[in-house]
mmCIF file of all heavy atoms in Angstrom:
data_model
loop_
_atom_site.group_PDB
_atom_site.id
_atom_site.type_symbol
_atom_site.label_atom_id
_atom_site.label_comp_id
_atom_site.label_asym_id
_atom_site.label_seq_id
_atom_site.Cartn_x
_atom_site.Cartn_y
_atom_site.Cartn_z
ATOM 1 N N ILE A 1 0.833 -1.183 0.006
ATOM 2 C CA ILE A 1 -0.009 0.008 0.003
ATOM 3 C C ILE A 1 0.860 1.227 -0.015
ATOM 4 O O ILE A 1 2.040 1.204 0.376
ATOM 5 C CB ILE A 1 -0.965 0.020 1.228
ATOM 6 C CG1 ILE A 1 -0.209 -0.012 2.510
ATOM 7 C CG2 ILE A 1 -1.947 -1.120 1.148
ATOM 8 C CD1 ILE A 1 -1.079 0.111 3.739
ATOM 9 N N SER A 2 0.293 2.362 -0.433
ATOM 10 C CA SER A 2 1.010 3.634 -0.474
ATOM 11 C C SER A 2 0.664 4.441 0.748
ATOM 12 O O SER A 2 -0.261 4.093 1.509
ATOM 13 C CB SER A 2 0.617 4.405 -1.721
ATOM 14 O OG SER A 2 -0.750 4.809 -1.635
ATOM 15 N N LEU A 3 1.398 5.532 0.973
ATOM 16 C CA LEU A 3 1.062 6.443 2.067
ATOM 17 C C LEU A 3 -0.301 7.027 1.898
ATOM 18 O O LEU A 3 -1.049 7.250 2.876
ATOM 19 C CB LEU A 3 2.101 7.528 2.192
ATOM 20 C CG LEU A 3 3.521 7.129 2.691
ATOM 21 C CD1 LEU A 3 4.413 8.319 2.800
ATOM 22 C CD2 LEU A 3 3.428 6.391 4.015
ATOM 23 N N ASP A 4 -0.699 7.318 0.654
ATOM 24 C CA ASP A 4 -2.020 7.831 0.394
ATOM 25 C C ASP A 4 -3.079 6.849 0.849
ATOM 26 O O ASP A 4 -4.070 7.253 1.495
ATOM 27 C CB ASP A 4 -2.220 8.136 -1.101
ATOM 28 C CG ASP A 4 -1.515 9.398 -1.549
ATOM 29 O OD1 ASP A 4 -0.954 10.068 -0.656
ATOM 30 O OD2 ASP A 4 -1.533 9.700 -2.729
ATOM 31 N N GLU A 5 -2.893 5.584 0.525
ATOM 32 C CA GLU A 5 -3.879 4.580 0.948
ATOM 33 C C GLU A 5 -3.862 4.426 2.472
ATOM 34 O O GLU A 5 -4.897 4.246 3.107
ATOM 35 C CB GLU A 5 -3.541 3.232 0.314
ATOM 36 C CG GLU A 5 -3.746 3.218 -1.188
ATOM 37 C CD GLU A 5 -3.223 1.927 -1.837
ATOM 38 O OE1 GLU A 5 -2.003 1.663 -1.771
ATOM 39 O OE2 GLU A 5 -4.071 1.181 -2.369
ATOM 40 N N LEU A 6 -2.659 4.509 3.074
ATOM 41 C CA LEU A 6 -2.551 4.381 4.504
ATOM 42 C C LEU A 6 -3.322 5.491 5.224
ATOM 43 O O LEU A 6 -3.961 5.301 6.230
ATOM 44 C CB LEU A 6 -1.079 4.417 4.901
ATOM 45 C CG LEU A 6 -0.762 4.282 6.391
ATOM 46 C CD1 LEU A 6 -1.147 2.919 6.918
ATOM 47 C CD2 LEU A 6 0.710 4.581 6.690
ATOM 48 N N LEU A 7 -3.225 6.681 4.628
ATOM 49 C CA LEU A 7 -3.899 7.853 5.247
ATOM 50 C C LEU A 7 -5.356 7.984 4.790
ATOM 51 O O LEU A 7 -6.048 8.915 5.208
ATOM 52 C CB LEU A 7 -3.129 9.134 4.888
ATOM 53 C CG LEU A 7 -1.715 9.201 5.499
ATOM 54 C CD1 LEU A 7 -0.943 10.380 4.882
ATOM 55 C CD2 LEU A 7 -1.763 9.324 6.977
ATOM 56 N N GLY A 8 -5.804 7.103 3.896
ATOM 57 C CA GLY A 8 -7.179 7.184 3.413
ATOM 58 C C GLY A 8 -7.403 8.332 2.453
ATOM 59 O O GLY A 8 -8.481 8.863 2.375
ATOM 60 N N ILE A 9 -6.329 8.741 1.729
ATOM 61 C CA ILE A 9 -6.424 9.890 0.863
ATOM 62 C C ILE A 9 -6.648 9.439 -0.577
ATOM 63 O O ILE A 9 -5.960 8.568 -1.082
ATOM 64 C CB ILE A 9 -5.107 10.710 0.924
ATOM 65 C CG1 ILE A 9 -4.913 11.246 2.322
ATOM 66 C CG2 ILE A 9 -5.149 11.856 -0.084
ATOM 67 C CD1 ILE A 9 -3.552 11.880 2.525
ATOM 68 N N SER A 10 -7.602 10.083 -1.233
ATOM 69 C CA SER A 10 -7.781 9.927 -2.686
ATOM 70 C C SER A 10 -7.650 11.298 -3.294
ATOM 71 O O SER A 10 -7.589 12.291 -2.613
ATOM 72 C CB SER A 10 -9.174 9.323 -2.989
ATOM 73 O OG SER A 10 -10.179 10.150 -2.496
ATOM 74 N N VAL A 11 -7.561 11.350 -4.613
ATOM 75 C CA VAL A 11 -7.431 12.670 -5.254
ATOM 76 C C VAL A 11 -8.692 13.448 -4.978
ATOM 77 O O VAL A 11 -9.791 13.018 -5.298
ATOM 78 C CB VAL A 11 -7.202 12.469 -6.784
ATOM 79 C CG1 VAL A 11 -7.181 13.851 -7.436
ATOM 80 C CG2 VAL A 11 -5.918 11.776 -7.048
ATOM 81 N N GLY A 12 -8.555 14.620 -4.375
ATOM 82 C CA GLY A 12 -9.686 15.427 -4.031
ATOM 83 C C GLY A 12 -9.986 15.329 -2.565
ATOM 84 O O GLY A 12 -9.367 16.027 -1.785
ATOM 85 N N GLN A 13 -10.800 14.375 -2.158
ATOM 86 C CA GLN A 13 -11.228 14.272 -0.755
ATOM 87 C C GLN A 13 -10.895 12.896 -0.223
ATOM 88 O O GLN A 13 -11.105 11.879 -0.891
ATOM 89 C CB GLN A 13 -12.734 14.512 -0.639
ATOM 90 C CG GLN A 13 -13.311 14.334 0.793
ATOM 91 C CD GLN A 13 -13.223 15.630 1.554
ATOM 92 O OE1 GLN A 13 -13.092 16.716 1.000
ATOM 93 N NE2 GLN A 13 -13.305 15.537 2.845
ATOM 94 N N ALA A 14 -10.387 12.841 0.989
ATOM 95 C CA ALA A 14 -10.079 11.574 1.591
ATOM 96 C C ALA A 14 -11.326 10.887 2.053
ATOM 97 O O ALA A 14 -12.294 11.511 2.440
ATOM 98 C CB ALA A 14 -9.130 11.747 2.789
ATOM 99 N N GLU A 15 -11.320 9.537 2.018
ATOM 100 C CA GLU A 15 -12.414 8.775 2.524
ATOM 101 C C GLU A 15 -12.141 8.405 3.988
ATOM 102 O O GLU A 15 -11.023 8.038 4.341
ATOM 103 C CB GLU A 15 -12.553 7.484 1.702
ATOM 104 C CG GLU A 15 -12.994 7.704 0.278
ATOM 105 C CD GLU A 15 -14.365 8.310 0.158
ATOM 106 O OE1 GLU A 15 -15.204 8.037 1.051
ATOM 107 O OE2 GLU A 15 -14.632 9.039 -0.795
ATOM 108 N N PRO A 16 -13.117 8.547 4.896
ATOM 109 C CA PRO A 16 -12.864 8.157 6.288
ATOM 110 C C PRO A 16 -12.635 6.691 6.454
ATOM 111 O O PRO A 16 -13.174 5.856 5.724
ATOM 112 C CB PRO A 16 -14.153 8.610 6.958
ATOM 113 C CG PRO A 16 -15.203 8.587 5.908
ATOM 114 C CD PRO A 16 -14.480 8.958 4.606
ATOM 115 N N VAL A 17 -11.789 6.351 7.411
ATOM 116 C CA VAL A 17 -11.541 4.969 7.744
ATOM 117 C C VAL A 17 -12.779 4.385 8.404
ATOM 118 O O VAL A 17 -13.427 5.071 9.207
ATOM 119 C CB VAL A 17 -10.325 4.866 8.711
ATOM 120 C CG1 VAL A 17 -10.145 3.428 9.170
ATOM 121 C CG2 VAL A 17 -9.106 5.343 7.975
ATOM 122 N N ALA A 18 -13.088 3.140 8.113
ATOM 123 C CA ALA A 18 -14.273 2.498 8.631
ATOM 124 C C ALA A 18 -14.271 2.588 10.175
ATOM 125 O O ALA A 18 -13.276 2.291 10.808
ATOM 126 C CB ALA A 18 -14.357 1.051 8.172
ATOM 127 N N GLY A 19 -15.400 2.919 10.728
ATOM 128 C CA GLY A 19 -15.524 2.976 12.172
ATOM 129 C C GLY A 19 -15.299 4.360 12.775
ATOM 130 O O GLY A 19 -15.596 4.591 13.942
ATOM 131 N N GLU A 20 -14.775 5.300 12.001
ATOM 132 C CA GLU A 20 -14.560 6.646 12.490
ATOM 133 C C GLU A 20 -15.874 7.454 12.346
ATOM 134 O O GLU A 20 -16.645 7.202 11.444
ATOM 135 C CB GLU A 20 -13.455 7.353 11.726
ATOM 136 C CG GLU A 20 -12.085 6.827 12.072
ATOM 137 C CD GLU A 20 -10.988 7.763 11.562
ATOM 138 O OE1 GLU A 20 -11.295 8.620 10.736
ATOM 139 O OE2 GLU A 20 -9.864 7.677 12.024
ATOM 140 N N PRO A 21 -16.088 8.425 13.230
ATOM 141 C CA PRO A 21 -17.280 9.261 13.120
ATOM 142 C C PRO A 21 -17.326 9.955 11.773
ATOM 143 O O PRO A 21 -16.359 10.513 11.301
ATOM 144 C CB PRO A 21 -17.096 10.259 14.279
ATOM 145 C CG PRO A 21 -16.178 9.599 15.235
ATOM 146 C CD PRO A 21 -15.264 8.762 14.367
ATOM 147 N N ALA A 22 -18.502 9.986 11.177
ATOM 148 C CA ALA A 22 -18.667 10.585 9.838
ATOM 149 C C ALA A 22 -18.397 12.082 9.853
ATOM 150 O O ALA A 22 -17.988 12.662 8.901
ATOM 151 C CB ALA A 22 -20.069 10.303 9.303
ATOM 152 N N GLU A 23 -18.695 12.710 11.053
ATOM 153 C CA GLU A 23 -18.537 14.165 11.125
ATOM 154 C C GLU A 23 -17.123 14.628 11.259
ATOM 155 O O GLU A 23 -16.794 15.783 11.199
ATOM 156 C CB GLU A 23 -19.370 14.752 12.258
ATOM 157 C CG GLU A 23 -18.890 14.334 13.639
ATOM 158 C CD GLU A 23 -19.490 13.004 14.082
ATOM 159 O OE1 GLU A 23 -20.118 12.340 13.245
ATOM 160 O OE2 GLU A 23 -19.378 12.644 15.263
ATOM 161 N N ARG A 24 -16.127 13.679 11.528
ATOM 162 C CA ARG A 24 -14.747 14.084 11.726
ATOM 163 C C ARG A 24 -14.198 14.633 10.427
ATOM 164 O O ARG A 24 -14.286 14.010 9.380
ATOM 165 C CB ARG A 24 -13.939 12.875 12.187
ATOM 166 C CG ARG A 24 -12.456 13.229 12.250
ATOM 167 C CD ARG A 24 -11.656 12.108 12.797
ATOM 168 N NE ARG A 24 -10.228 12.434 12.766
ATOM 169 C CZ ARG A 24 -9.277 11.748 13.372
ATOM 170 N NH1 ARG A 24 -9.627 10.672 14.021
ATOM 171 N NH2 ARG A 24 -8.044 12.081 13.312
ATOM 172 N N PRO A 25 -13.556 15.811 10.488
ATOM 173 C CA PRO A 25 -12.961 16.359 9.264
ATOM 174 C C PRO A 25 -11.801 15.523 8.777
ATOM 175 O O PRO A 25 -11.040 14.992 9.574
ATOM 176 C CB PRO A 25 -12.481 17.778 9.676
ATOM 177 C CG PRO A 25 -12.289 17.647 11.166
ATOM 178 C CD PRO A 25 -13.338 16.666 11.652
ATOM 179 N N VAL A 26 -11.684 15.382 7.469
ATOM 180 C CA VAL A 26 -10.593 14.638 6.877
ATOM 181 C C VAL A 26 -9.830 15.565 5.951
ATOM 182 O O VAL A 26 -10.379 16.514 5.412
ATOM 183 C CB VAL A 26 -11.112 13.412 6.073
ATOM 184 C CG1 VAL A 26 -11.703 12.386 7.002
ATOM 185 C CG2 VAL A 26 -12.136 13.833 5.038
ATOM 186 N N PRO A 27 -8.495 15.352 5.783
ATOM 187 C CA PRO A 27 -7.691 16.283 5.007
ATOM 188 C C PRO A 27 -8.035 16.237 3.551
ATOM 189 O O PRO A 27 -8.419 15.198 2.988
ATOM 190 C CB PRO A 27 -6.243 15.805 5.232
ATOM 191 C CG PRO A 27 -6.411 14.337 5.559
ATOM 192 C CD PRO A 27 -7.715 14.250 6.281
ATOM 193 N N ARG A 28 -7.894 17.343 2.857
ATOM 194 C CA ARG A 28 -8.088 17.437 1.439
ATOM 195 C C ARG A 28 -6.744 17.504 0.766
ATOM 196 O O ARG A 28 -5.848 18.223 1.192
ATOM 197 C CB ARG A 28 -8.882 18.681 1.077
ATOM 198 C CG ARG A 28 -10.328 18.673 1.561
ATOM 199 C CD ARG A 28 -11.055 19.870 1.057
ATOM 200 N NE ARG A 28 -11.133 19.895 -0.421
ATOM 201 C CZ ARG A 28 -12.038 19.267 -1.142
ATOM 202 N NH1 ARG A 28 -12.987 18.587 -0.530
ATOM 203 N NH2 ARG A 28 -12.050 19.349 -2.432
ATOM 204 N N VAL A 29 -6.565 16.729 -0.309
ATOM 205 C CA VAL A 29 -5.356 16.785 -1.099
ATOM 206 C C VAL A 29 -5.779 17.214 -2.503
ATOM 207 O O VAL A 29 -6.255 16.394 -3.294
ATOM 208 C CB VAL A 29 -4.625 15.436 -1.151
ATOM 209 C CG1 VAL A 29 -3.374 15.564 -1.974
ATOM 210 C CG2 VAL A 29 -4.255 15.036 0.259
ATOM 211 N N PRO A 30 -5.631 18.507 -2.857
ATOM 212 C CA PRO A 30 -6.113 18.975 -4.134
ATOM 213 C C PRO A 30 -5.418 18.304 -5.293
ATOM 214 O O PRO A 30 -4.272 17.855 -5.200
ATOM 215 C CB PRO A 30 -5.732 20.500 -4.086
ATOM 216 C CG PRO A 30 -5.534 20.815 -2.637
ATOM 217 C CD PRO A 30 -5.024 19.551 -2.018
ATOM 218 N N SER A 31 -6.131 18.197 -6.405
ATOM 219 C CA SER A 31 -5.591 17.608 -7.582
ATOM 220 C C SER A 31 -4.784 18.609 -8.399
ATOM 221 O O SER A 31 -4.170 18.270 -9.398
ATOM 222 C CB SER A 31 -6.721 17.011 -8.473
ATOM 223 O OG SER A 31 -7.648 18.042 -8.776
ATOM 224 N N GLY A 32 -4.799 19.883 -7.991
ATOM 225 C CA GLY A 32 -4.096 20.885 -8.703
ATOM 226 C C GLY A 32 -2.612 20.951 -8.339
ATOM 227 O O GLY A 32 -2.040 19.994 -7.785
ATOM 228 N N VAL A 33 -1.995 22.099 -8.620
ATOM 229 C CA VAL A 33 -0.536 22.263 -8.458
ATOM 230 C C VAL A 33 -0.133 22.434 -6.996
ATOM 231 O O VAL A 33 0.876 21.904 -6.548
ATOM 232 C CB VAL A 33 -0.064 23.416 -9.317
ATOM 233 C CG1 VAL A 33 1.418 23.704 -9.047
ATOM 234 C CG2 VAL A 33 -0.279 23.145 -10.800
ATOM 235 N N VAL A 34 -0.949 23.190 -6.252
ATOM 236 C CA VAL A 34 -0.540 23.643 -4.895
ATOM 237 C C VAL A 34 -1.233 22.790 -3.827
ATOM 238 O O VAL A 34 -2.431 22.576 -3.903
ATOM 239 C CB VAL A 34 -0.866 25.121 -4.708
ATOM 240 C CG1 VAL A 34 -0.527 25.515 -3.263
ATOM 241 C CG2 VAL A 34 -0.069 25.971 -5.691
ATOM 242 N N GLN A 35 -0.462 22.326 -2.866
ATOM 243 C CA GLN A 35 -1.020 21.722 -1.682
ATOM 244 C C GLN A 35 -0.641 22.624 -0.481
ATOM 245 O O GLN A 35 0.501 22.894 -0.217
ATOM 246 C CB GLN A 35 -0.395 20.331 -1.423
ATOM 247 C CG GLN A 35 -0.867 19.651 -0.135
ATOM 248 C CD GLN A 35 -0.327 18.222 -0.016
ATOM 249 O OE1 GLN A 35 -0.534 17.436 -0.876
ATOM 250 N NE2 GLN A 35 0.382 17.984 1.084
ATOM 251 N N ARG A 36 -1.675 23.136 0.188
ATOM 252 C CA ARG A 36 -1.454 24.063 1.277
ATOM 253 C C ARG A 36 -0.867 23.346 2.489
ATOM 254 O O ARG A 36 -1.128 22.201 2.755
ATOM 255 C CB ARG A 36 -2.769 24.723 1.702
ATOM 256 C CG ARG A 36 -3.443 25.497 0.551
ATOM 257 C CD ARG A 36 -2.568 26.639 0.061
ATOM 258 N NE ARG A 36 -3.192 27.331 -1.087
ATOM 259 C CZ ARG A 36 -2.597 28.279 -1.796
ATOM 260 N NH1 ARG A 36 -1.355 28.665 -1.458
ATOM 261 N NH2 ARG A 36 -3.205 28.856 -2.798
ATOM 262 N N ALA A 37 -0.012 24.108 3.234
ATOM 263 C CA ALA A 37 0.634 23.538 4.384
ATOM 264 C C ALA A 37 -0.332 22.948 5.422
ATOM 265 O O ALA A 37 -0.091 21.906 5.999
ATOM 266 C CB ALA A 37 1.521 24.593 5.062
ATOM 267 N N ALA A 38 -1.475 23.645 5.556
ATOM 268 C CA ALA A 38 -2.497 23.180 6.519
ATOM 269 C C ALA A 38 -3.098 21.833 6.098
ATOM 270 O O ALA A 38 -3.710 21.154 6.899
ATOM 271 C CB ALA A 38 -3.546 24.236 6.661
ATOM 272 N N ASP A 39 -2.941 21.495 4.797
ATOM 273 C CA ASP A 39 -3.566 20.254 4.304
ATOM 274 C C ASP A 39 -2.566 19.082 4.300
ATOM 275 O O ASP A 39 -2.935 17.960 3.897
ATOM 276 C CB ASP A 39 -4.074 20.460 2.873
ATOM 277 C CG ASP A 39 -5.269 21.388 2.843
ATOM 278 O OD1 ASP A 39 -6.027 21.368 3.790
ATOM 279 O OD2 ASP A 39 -5.439 22.107 1.828
ATOM 280 N N ASN A 40 -1.317 19.326 4.768
ATOM 281 C CA ASN A 40 -0.349 18.237 4.764
ATOM 282 C C ASN A 40 -0.769 17.144 5.742
ATOM 283 O O ASN A 40 -0.856 17.407 6.949
ATOM 284 C CB ASN A 40 1.045 18.750 5.161
ATOM 285 C CG ASN A 40 1.676 19.627 4.115
ATOM 286 O OD1 ASN A 40 1.245 19.681 2.997
ATOM 287 N ND2 ASN A 40 2.767 20.315 4.525
#
């Protein structure tokens, strides 16, 4: 598996890991050029 898969990250919006509360915020990894520091 990759780090993206480990972190539950897909292009655009990450999918929550099974069993976690749905309302918990998950990081966004934009498909564009820039990834903001707050999204690392």
Side-chain angles (χ1 to χ4, degrees):
I1 60 177
S2 67
L3 290 182
D4 284 356
E5 292 172 297
L6 181 66
L7 295 170
I9 298 171
S10 59
V11 175
Q13 177 88 19
E15 293 295 331
V17 174
E20 287 194 344
E23 66 273 10
R24 175 176 176 169
V26 292
R28 295 185 61 86
V29 179
S31 57
V33 174
V34 176
Q35 176 176 304
R36 301 299 177 186
D39 291 329
N40 290 347

